[in-house]
Amino acid sequence: MKIEIHQGIVADVLIVDQQIPEFDNRNTHEKLTQRLSDKKHLILVAVSEGIPVAYKMGYQFSDSEFYSWLGGVVPSARKKGIATQLRVTQEVWAKKQGYEAISVKSMNRYPAMLQLLISSGYHISGYEDEGSSDNSKIKFLKKL
């Protein structure tokens, strides 16, 4: 599978989201654009044969920190290193923009994401208790 990564738009994200069963179509154009509207942000899209198969998006959290907000890979494109390519591209971009760190949150119900973050140099930096271990959020930080 040949992958090209480029900056994308919210419509690209929604094409991918509709194919990710774990997301249950919870992201809407309005929700995504509202979150990004007043912030410096980056949407990266991985494309195979002209079709978006993955994305990673985030926004400025502070002058020194970029928040990696959402990402996903369609099931048929998983285990091919695409999430890693997107993560590395995002980190390089963030460093060039002058950010000193990237933060991200994930949950126990996404063990592949937790493993990817830890193996990629992200450190656990906090925990948001949402009442159960499946729904609570684990915060990670990586210095750039």
Side-chain angles (χ1 to χ4, degrees):
M1 176 179 284
K2 184 175 181 336
I3 297 294
E4 296 176 15
I5 295 177
H6 58 81
Q7 289 193 25
I9 58 174
V10 169
D12 297 324
V13 169
L14 294 173
I15 289 169
V16 174
D17 260 15
Q18 292 168 357
Q19 300 174 68
I20 298 179
E22 299 93 331
F23 287 178
D24 302 324
N25 292 314
R26 66 177 171 246
N27 293 322
T28 63
H29 192 275
E30 181 182 14
K31 175 185 173 184
L32 299 178
T33 54
Q34 185 176 22
R35 175 74 71 100
L36 300 175
S37 67
D38 60 343
K39 299 172 180 74
K40 183 176 183 178
H41 64 273
L42 175 68
I43 299 173
L44 292 172
V45 179
V47 177
S48 175
E49 298 178 16
I51 299 169
V53 296
Y55 72 89
K56 192 153 190 66
M57 62 193 300
Y59 55 84
Q60 181 173 344
F61 186 74
S62 71
D63 288 344
S64 62
E65 187 176 319
F66 188 79
Y67 178 61
S68 185
W69 177 36
L70 287 176
V73 181
V74 300
S76 62
R78 292 179 183 168
K79 306 267 187 220
K80 295 176 171 46
I82 298 169
T84 296
Q85 290 177 50
L86 287 166
R87 177 187 54 77
V88 169
T89 302
Q90 184 183 68
E91 289 172 1
V92 168
W93 178 90
K95 188 168 185 168
K96 285 182 181 174
Q97 300 299 310
Y99 295 106
E100 297 170 12
I102 292 185
S103 61
V104 64
K105 297 176 191 172
S106 193
M107 299 181 214
N108 281 322
R109 62 180 160 171
Y110 302 124
M113 183 62 176
L114 298 176
Q115 291 170 349
L116 174 73
L117 290 167
I118 291 168
S119 67
S120 301
Y122 284 78
H123 296 241
I124 295 172
S125 62
Y127 185 76
E128 292 178 6
D129 190 344
E130 299 292 337
S132 77
S133 64
D134 269 357
N135 292 327
S136 296
K137 295 179 180 168
I138 303 164
K139 298 180 192 179
F140 291 86
L141 186 73
K142 181 177 184 177
K143 302 267 187 206
L144 296 176

